[in-house]
Every structure is written in structure tokens, then in C-alpha cells.
């Protein structure tokens, strides 16, 4: 059974940092591209970035580039989203998702992904 489980969310003050983790199971970790998304109340799900399974190359959306980075630990079957300089506009539920193959130009499209985690809440206070 394919599973993705996010953790690491919480309440943080503006300017602070959080590192989210996405632990994957049920498939070969290096066979799937992983994407990170977020959804704020009343808004559509927004792609943040993704990581290619074959070489670990990452793509980060311009709106968060320079503050957010994606990395992975193959030994732990885990992909991380490091978020720095957080501001209240980053408040959302954050999700990771997986698909066997996602074109980089489409990696921020939710419809490209087959499997999703349950999400983890991130709240940034001003």
C-alpha cells in the first residue's frame, strides 16, 4: 500500500523556520517524483516545488524560491521541505504527493500526482 505521511507542521512566528518531512512507503522511493503543495483556507491547492526521482533535481516555485528548499534522505525514504523566513501568507495545510513521472514544467499541477499525504498544518503568526 502506497503511503505518504507528512509531519513537522506547527505554529511559528513570522521570520521563523520549519522543516516538514514526508515519509513514503509502499513503493521504491527512487521510482517516484515527489511534489510539495499547500492549501490556504478558501484558496486552491498551490504547488510549491518538486523533486525528480532519478537525480534528485529540484524545482521551486518563484514565489518561495530563496526561502524554501527540497531535499531527501534516501536511507529514510523521506523528502523534506525546509521553510525559512516564514510569513503569515505561508499559513496553510502542506501536502506531499507522488507520481511515477512528472514533467518539471507541470510539477506544480495537483492533477499530475497519484498519491497524497494527509497534510500538516503550518500556521505563521505575525
Amino acid at each position: 500500500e502506497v503511503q505518504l505521511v507528512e509531519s513537522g507542521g506547527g505554529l511559528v512566528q513570522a521570520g521563523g523556520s520549519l522543516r516538514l518531512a514526508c515519509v513514503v512507503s509502499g513503493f521504491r522511493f527512487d521510482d517516484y517524483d515527489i511534489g510539495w503543495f499547500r492549501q490556504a483556507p478558501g484558496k486552491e491547492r498551490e504547488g510549491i516545488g518538486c523533486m525528480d526521482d532519478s537525480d534528485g533535481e529540484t524545482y521551486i516555485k518563484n514565489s518561495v524560491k530563496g526561502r524554501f528548499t527540497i531535499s531527501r534522505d534516501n536511507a529514510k525514504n523521506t523528502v523534506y521541505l525546509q521553510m525559512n523566513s516564514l510569513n503569515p501568507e505561508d499559513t496553510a495545510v502542506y501536502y506531499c504527493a507522488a507520481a511515477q513521472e512528472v514533467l518539471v514544467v507541470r510539477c506544480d499541477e495537483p492533477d499530475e500526482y497519484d498519491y497524497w499525504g494527509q497534510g500538516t498544518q503550518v500556521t505563521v503568526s505575525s
Side-chain angles (χ1 to χ4, degrees):
E1 180 185 5
V2 174
Q3 276 195 318
L4 295 89
V5 179
E6 302 96 336
S7 63
L11 175 64
V12 63
Q13 287 189 331
S17 298
L18 283 175
R19 188 177 75 160
L20 306 184
C22 173
V23 179
V24 304
S25 61
F27 57 84
R28 280 180 56 94
F29 183 62
D30 54 0
D31 280 349
Y32 280 73
D33 295 335
I34 302 295
W36 280 98
F37 293 79
R38 66 185 180 185
Q39 188 165 18
K43 294 188 176 181
E44 293 187 352
R45 193 163 295 189
E46 173 191 21
I48 298 170
C50 61
M51 172 172 277
D52 185 275
D53 61 340
S54 59
D55 57 10
E57 185 175 354
T58 59
Y59 160 80
I60 300 292
K61 194 168 184 177
N62 284 339
S63 60
V64 298
K65 191 175 290 185
R67 298 191 298 125
F68 291 12
T69 57
I70 297 174
S71 63
R72 72 182 182 187
D73 185 333
N74 289 345
K76 295 182 178 180
N77 279 9
T78 300
V79 178
Y80 300 99
L81 177 67
Q82 177 68 43
M83 306 186 294
N84 299 326
S85 302
L86 287 162
N87 58 66
E89 289 71 38
D90 295 316
T91 294
V93 178
Y94 283 71
Y95 300 89
C96 60
Q100 283 196 294
E101 189 67 39
V102 180
L103 296 176
V104 171
V105 293
R106 293 191 58 79
C107 87
D108 58 353
E109 297 288 338
D111 288 346
E112 294 293 314
Y113 294 84
D114 301 310
Y115 304 101
W116 290 83
Q118 83 289 350
T120 186
Q121 176 70 47
V122 171
T123 303
V124 184
S125 64
S126 58

